[in-house]
């Protein structure tokens, strides 16, 4: 009887070892283990028979069965570790499609770039083409050709960075008008966006900023066209309800000249305490006027005979337009590249 139990215990240990090796997952492994060692397991059943043996037979059979039990337990632990390792190894190098996605950080346009693109898009849709010119300009292109001769008091309107006596960092994009007329015949409809420089630095001025210049030259061009063009632009940029107001002004290169105001887009409902327009309800956004014949006379080309062609020109600060449209209170913020500001656009 005891020999029979010993033999059975060894046979069970062997078949358990086979079954545990074949088990292909942790759950199956646990099932195999419990079919030998669990309450109704086959090795447990052998253990229950020990009390029925003669006392002198118990020792031999008992130790054989215990050995079988230990062997199965040890093998179970070993196999469980191996199965875990296999699972890890299998997932290395594979994409776990159940993990939540990692979102890429998305860049976007700087508010000035955005305003630049919006402004140029509006004029392009009206039939304007884009022209650009150098940021380092000759004195002649920047001033003289624009009816601001040396010694003219108007030169003091712009605090200029001089490279030398005859070369400046352009203080406005108007010299691109001059360059365009020197190289192209009328009729002209161009806008000239670009970087400009002035010796100025406070809450509404930075030494470097951006302007868009517009120039139309044709026969029979009138102030009415200037007004219509700028009003259409203002409505496209600030919204269809925008009102436009023209105030007489002075620029050396236009005559007559007008400053253009738009109704404040931030206080349509007449709230008081508007920090953008300071309750004036109007925002000054553009300089404009009919091209002064003296400017055409500087362009030494018969196509620009001031008795034959007329034109209008306008200019605006792109940064200021961005501040007004996006409600930014300090111009300098635009050039500090602070993520906390830029992220909001
Ligand atoms: N160039 C002018 C400035 O910088 C703006 C302007 C352009 C005014 C064209 C009238 C016509 O202030």
């Amino acid at each position: 009887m005891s020999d029979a139990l010993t033999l059975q215990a060894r046979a069970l240990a062997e078949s358990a070892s086979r079954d545990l090796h074949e088990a292909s997952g942790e759950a199956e492994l646990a099932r195999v283990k419990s079919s030998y060692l669990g309450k109704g397991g086959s090795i447990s059943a052998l253990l229950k028979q020990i009390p029925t043996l003669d006392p002198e037979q118990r020792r031999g059979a008992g130790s054989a069965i215990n050995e079988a039990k230990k062997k199965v337990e040890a093998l179970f632990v070993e196999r469980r570790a191996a199965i875990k390792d296999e699972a890890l190894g299998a997932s290395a190098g594979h994409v776990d499609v159940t993990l939540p996605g990692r979102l890429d950080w998305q860049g976007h346009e700087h508010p000035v770039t955005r305003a630049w693109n919006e402004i140029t898009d509006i004029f392009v849709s009206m039939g304007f083409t884009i022209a650009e010119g150098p940021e380092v300009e000759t004195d002649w292109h920047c001033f003289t050709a624009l009816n601001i001769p040396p010694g003219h008091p108007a030169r003091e309107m712009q605090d200029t960075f001089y490279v030398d006596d005859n070369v400046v960092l352009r203080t406005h994009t108007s010299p691109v008008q001059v360059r365009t007329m020197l190289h192209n015949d009328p009729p002209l409809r161009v806008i000239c966006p670009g970087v400009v420089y002035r010796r100025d630095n406070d809450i509404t001025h930075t030494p470097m900023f951006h302007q868009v210049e517009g120039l139309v030259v044709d026969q029979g061009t009138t102030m009415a066209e200037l007004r219509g063009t700028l009003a259409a632009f203002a409505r496209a940029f600030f919204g269809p309800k925008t009102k436009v107001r023209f105030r007489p002004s002075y620029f050396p290169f236009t005559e007559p000249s007008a400053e253009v105001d738009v109704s404040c887009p931030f206080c349509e409902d007449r709230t008081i305490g508007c920090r953008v327009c300071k309750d004036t309800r109007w925002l000054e956004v553009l300089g404009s006027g009919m091209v002064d014949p003296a400017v055409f006379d500087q362009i030494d080309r018969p196509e620009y005979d001031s008795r034959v062609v007329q034109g209008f020109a306008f200019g605006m600060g792109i940064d200021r337009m961005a501040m007004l449209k996006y409600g930014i209170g300090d111009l300098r913020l635009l050039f500090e590249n602070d993520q906390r500001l830029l992220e909001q656009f």
Side-chain angles (χ1 to χ4, degrees):
M1 177 71 176
S2 104
D3 287 351
L5 282 183
T6 302
L7 286 176
Q8 273 184 55
R10 286 183 189 149
L12 283 176
E14 246 167 68
S15 80
S17 149
R18 250 192 333 270
D19 291 352
L20 287 171
H21 271 113
E22 278 163 17
S24 62
E26 278 193 74
E28 203 187 330
L29 199 68
R31 238 182 348 263
V32 170
K33 180 191 171 198
S34 108
S35 74
Y36 288 94
L37 303 182
K39 260 195 184 151
S42 42
I43 294 179
S44 310
L46 294 186
L47 277 169
K48 279 181 201 148
Q49 292 185 42
I50 288 177
T52 67
L53 297 178
D54 292 339
E56 63 273 19
Q57 293 178 332
R58 282 181 199 165
R59 179 177 293 171
S63 74
I65 297 168
N66 268 323
E67 215 171 280
K69 190 179 159 185
K70 275 190 197 145
K71 207 168 155 184
V72 172
E73 268 166 356
L75 202 58
F76 168 76
V77 171
E78 192 182 297
R79 284 290 297 144
R80 191 176 54 184
I83 284 173
K84 274 199 177 138
D85 281 356
E86 267 169 39
L88 275 179
S91 69
H94 285 76
V95 176
D96 182 351
V97 293
T98 65
L99 285 175
R102 218 176 288 141
L103 287 183
D104 267 344
W105 183 81
Q106 280 205 318
H108 54 225
E109 285 173 342
H110 188 281
V112 173
T113 308
R114 211 157 105 180
W116 173 313
N117 289 339
E118 273 183 48
I119 294 167
T120 52
D121 281 355
I122 293 169
F123 284 109
V124 165
S125 77
M126 290 196 244
F128 284 73
T129 53
I130 296 175
E132 288 184 75
E135 289 168 33
V136 180
E137 261 299 3
T138 67
D139 179 285
W140 185 82
H141 288 88
C142 198
F143 299 123
T144 312
L146 288 161
N147 201 29
I148 317 174
H152 191 292
R155 286 194 181 208
E156 286 171 28
M157 282 166 65
Q158 292 162 338
D159 278 352
T160 310
F161 287 109
Y162 280 87
V163 176
D164 62 36
D165 284 350
N166 288 311
V167 180
V168 299
L169 297 187
R170 66 180 178 193
T171 55
H172 51 179
T173 38
S174 305
V176 189
Q177 289 188 26
V178 176
R179 290 182 176 274
T180 306
M181 289 192 281
L182 286 173
H183 299 108
N184 298 277
D185 296 342
L188 279 187
R189 274 180 112 70
V190 292
I191 42 161
C192 322
V195 174
V196 299
Y197 304 86
R198 290 185 201 176
R199 298 178 46 140
D200 244 341
N201 202 6
D202 60 40
I203 186 166
T204 51
H205 298 90
T206 50
M208 184 280 308
F209 60 106
H210 304 84
Q211 276 194 339
V212 175
E213 185 89 2
L215 175 70
V216 170
V217 182
D218 205 344
Q219 293 183 22
T221 308
T222 66
M223 188 89 183
E225 248 179 274
L226 160 68
R227 291 192 56 142
T229 304
L230 295 182
F233 162 74
R235 284 193 291 270
F237 189 79
F238 288 112
K241 287 193 202 147
T242 309
K243 290 196 275 295
V244 181
R245 174 172 92 172
F246 287 74
R247 281 181 294 109
S249 185
Y250 171 76
F251 296 102
F253 33 89
T254 49
E255 180 60 36
S257 303
E259 210 98 51
V260 185
D261 298 342
V262 295
S263 52
C264 176
F266 297 97
C267 57
E268 271 175 306
D269 53 354
R270 302 264 145 184
T271 45
I272 38 172
C274 177
R275 68 184 173 87
V276 179
C277 70
K278 312 270 184 304
D279 291 342
T280 61
R281 312 293 169 213
W282 293 98
L283 301 169
E284 185 190 316
V285 292
L286 281 144
S288 69
M290 300 305 291
V291 177
D292 193 312
V295 173
F296 290 136
D297 293 343
Q298 289 284 336
I299 309 297
D300 191 17
R301 299 183 65 209
E303 294 83 357
Y304 288 92
D305 184 336
S306 59
R307 290 161 302 186
V308 179
V309 292
Q310 301 78 39
F312 65 80
F314 55 88
M316 71 186 102
I318 300 177
D319 323 80
R320 177 163 162 77
M321 298 298 271
M323 285 172 75
L324 292 177
K325 182 145 186 183
Y326 310 128
I328 299 166
D330 184 335
L331 181 65
R332 294 168 297 193
L333 284 174
L334 289 174
F335 306 116
E336 282 170 3
N337 284 338
D338 188 328
Q339 270 314 105
R340 289 168 301 180
L341 175 92
L342 300 178
E343 267 168 3
Q344 297 175 45
F345 299 93

